[in-house]
Amino acid sequence: MPTLILVRHGRSTANTSGVLAGRTPGVALDERGARQAAALPARLAALPLSEVVTSPLQRCQETVQPLLQARPGLRSHTDERIGECDYGDWSGRKLAELKDEPLMEVVQAHPSAAAFPGGESMRAMQTRAAEAVREWNARVEQEHGADAVYLMCSHGDIIKALVADALGLHLDLFQRISVEPCSVTVIRYTRLRPFLVRLGDTGDFASLAPREEPGDGDAPVGGGAGAP
């Protein structure tokens, strides 16, 4: 079965302003995010990509654009099922103010029970994304063979949920996974089981350095902004 390259979108204007973008339209890459996207073709140069599938949101579309320009024959598809979690009434709000919402404790400790007001549940988010991957695996294998490699550009919580699914982890443990902007996560699917081959690889270790302002220990909803 195929190998899936999962790319989180580059750093966005919402990431740097501390806003939970969700499905809010018009959220673009910031300057660093644009540089991250521009570097993606070289990072993936050795891979014979067969297809590209992206979230419909602008920040993902912008992330894959340099790659598509570098490979004019590469087909691109949009799949809403790998779009951002629908955070409903939380969308567009500051993460700093959401921290005090009672639901945030559920999101952090028991995400399988979390449903966003006016939006979707985290279980539904994982289910639709995993179904999309399984359908694309079958399609890519049928059209390009069992050794094919294809790419999906999506969002932090989606990628974390797909990694948890691949590892057989309960969704309640997915907040232990971290994927930075424009990081590459690789899952190789086989008949018996998936293999997690790379996780959140950016090739940059700056995010591991001590921060001047340490975080509060919670997992950033939506994925966080990455290295400062």
Side-chain angles (χ1 to χ4, degrees):
M1 295 180 71
T3 296
L4 171 61
I5 311 296
L6 285 163
V7 176
R8 185 184 167 201
H9 61 79
R11 196 175 75 173
S12 72
T13 54
N15 293 145
T16 45
S17 60
V19 169
L20 184 62
R23 298 181 178 181
T24 305
V27 176
L29 299 182
D30 67 5
E31 290 185 7
R32 175 179 286 184
R35 291 195 302 270
Q36 291 170 333
L40 197 57
R43 292 172 62 196
L44 302 177
L47 296 179
L49 298 175
S50 58
E51 307 279 350
V52 169
V53 186
T54 72
S55 158
L57 293 171
Q58 180 178 338
R59 52 197 183 272
C60 287
Q61 300 282 334
E62 290 180 351
T63 298
V64 299
Q65 198 56 40
L67 178 64
L68 296 174
Q69 289 174 348
R71 304 193 191 194
L74 187 58
R75 292 190 300 181
S76 179
H77 315 266
T78 298
D79 193 325
E80 293 185 355
R81 294 173 298 176
I82 62 166
E84 180 64 284
C85 183
D86 184 356
Y87 298 115
D89 297 344
W90 279 27
S91 300
R93 293 180 60 187
K94 288 278 190 180
L95 289 166
E97 69 180 48
L98 289 172
K99 185 172 63 173
D100 297 326
E101 291 278 354
L103 178 60
M104 182 59 84
E105 185 175 356
V106 181
V107 170
Q108 292 293 329
H110 192 20
S112 66
F116 296 97
E120 70 177 334
S121 69
M122 302 200 92
R123 281 182 301 154
M125 173 198 74
Q126 183 185 44
T127 297
R128 63 172 165 82
E131 287 177 350
V133 166
R134 281 161 175 75
E135 289 183 21
W136 277 104
N137 281 348
R139 176 174 172 177
V140 169
E141 181 175 7
Q142 182 178 30
E143 295 184 9
H144 301 282
D147 295 326
V149 180
Y150 74 107
L151 181 147
M152 280 187 171
C153 184
S154 189
H155 307 266
D157 282 348
I158 295 287
I159 295 173
K160 288 162 57 177
L162 289 171
V163 169
D165 175 75
L167 292 176
L169 293 178
H170 196 284
L171 185 60
D172 286 347
L173 300 179
F174 101 130
Q175 297 291 27
R176 302 183 183 193
I177 300 167
S178 176
V179 289
E180 291 198 3
C182 222
S183 62
V184 173
T185 294
V186 182
I187 302 172
R188 180 172 293 132
Y189 289 88
T190 74
R191 296 296 177 194
L192 294 180
R193 65 183 64 84
F195 292 90
L196 180 64
V197 182
R198 294 285 189 280
L199 176 61
D201 189 344
T202 63
D204 180 1
F205 296 103
S207 64
L208 303 180
R211 304 285 179 94
E212 291 184 7
E213 298 180 3
D216 57 12
D218 283 343
V221 180

